[in-house]
Amino acid sequence: MGAEHAILSSDDWQESQLSTGGTVRELGLEGAAFVGHSVSAMVGVLAARMAPERIGALVMVAPSPCYIDGDGYRGGFTADDIDELLDSLDSNYLGWSSAMAPVIMGNPERPELGQELTDSFCATDPDIARVFARTTFLSDSREDLKSVTVPTLVLECSQDVIAPREVGAYVHAAIPASRLVTLDATGHCPQLSAPEATNAAILDFLAAQR
């Protein structure tokens, strides 16, 4: 069956939000920097709202608050694209993993990176992966960006089929006083494909907060 086109709200992330916020409190952290990649960056946004006294900065690596195009917004996918993606995942998870991981990684000249991501996908319980993928690709957390009040770094890649540069620009514009850095990297996982540049950008941002 095709995926429903209804966009899921940030309430669908409540469990992750509560878990992350609870962990931050349990550790007794104050003014911590939350580093989140892709959809986890949006979990960080919600956690910062839940425990503002604990999280002092956000680092959003290749974030995307909404993956579906619409109303002048470009998320990178049409609703039909998402239908096809989720149908493929439902019918053949291992095949989907093998096909999608290299596309997500985006570095064909370095196939070992795509293989690393494929192995990670294939090691995940398919039932959990299906729920996670559906929640991720049908979510819309754009309104939550307005709640961010802490210093925020938005890290994007120069080429990313999952979160194109229009998404990075949108996130940057929606979060007051955020910093947008475009890495000279391709793919959706710069922490793997360009770790030195990613680390340098994060450390530079954090140093400026001291």
Side-chain angles (χ1 to χ4, degrees):
M1 295 177 60
E4 293 182 2
H5 290 172
I7 302 297
L8 303 182
S9 72
S10 60
D11 290 342
D12 296 287
W13 299 107
Q14 184 177 19
E15 185 174 349
S16 293
Q17 174 188 0
L18 293 173
S19 176
T20 303
T23 299
V24 169
R25 287 198 172 100
E26 288 176 8
L27 293 175
L29 300 177
E30 293 185 4
F34 183 101
V35 181
H37 167 248
S38 193
V39 72
S40 294
M42 300 312 302
V43 173
V45 168
L46 298 175
R49 187 174 67 189
M50 177 184 177
E53 75 285 2
R54 303 293 186 180
I55 296 178
L58 290 176
V59 176
M60 307 177 76
V61 182
S64 181
C66 182
Y67 293 89
I68 298 178
D69 302 338
D71 297 326
Y73 170 81
R74 186 187 175 212
F77 299 87
T78 66
D80 287 343
D81 290 335
I82 296 299
D83 269 354
E84 184 177 346
L85 183 152
L86 294 176
D87 281 346
S88 175
L89 188 152
D90 286 341
S91 63
N92 184 359
Y93 176 68
L94 294 181
W96 178 90
S97 298
S98 297
M100 281 298 297
V103 174
I104 293 170
M105 186 58 69
N107 285 262
E109 74 285 359
R110 299 163 67 188
E112 69 279 5
L113 294 177
Q115 186 59 51
E116 181 178 352
L117 190 58
T118 299
D119 293 343
S120 177
F121 283 172
C122 290
T124 302
D125 185 313
D127 291 333
I128 294 175
R130 291 185 184 100
V131 173
F132 179 80
R134 188 169 296 274
T135 303
T136 296
F137 286 111
L138 296 178
S139 66
D140 186 350
S141 301
R142 285 176 289 178
E143 285 298 313
D144 295 310
L145 296 173
K146 300 175 183 178
S147 71
V148 177
T149 59
V150 299
T152 301
L153 172 64
V154 181
L155 275 181
E156 66 176 7
C157 292
S158 57
Q159 297 180 46
D160 182 350
V161 298
I162 303 298
R165 294 187 63 179
E166 290 89 341
V167 175
Y170 182 93
V171 174
H172 173 49
I175 299 178
S178 60
R179 180 193 299 185
L180 174 64
V181 173
T182 303
L183 298 171
D184 184 17
T186 60
H188 191 56
C189 304
Q191 71 273 26
L192 296 177
S193 62
E196 295 84 2
T198 302
N199 288 340
I202 294 174
L203 291 175
D204 180 64
F205 168 73
L206 294 178
Q209 308 311 311
R210 295 172 184 168

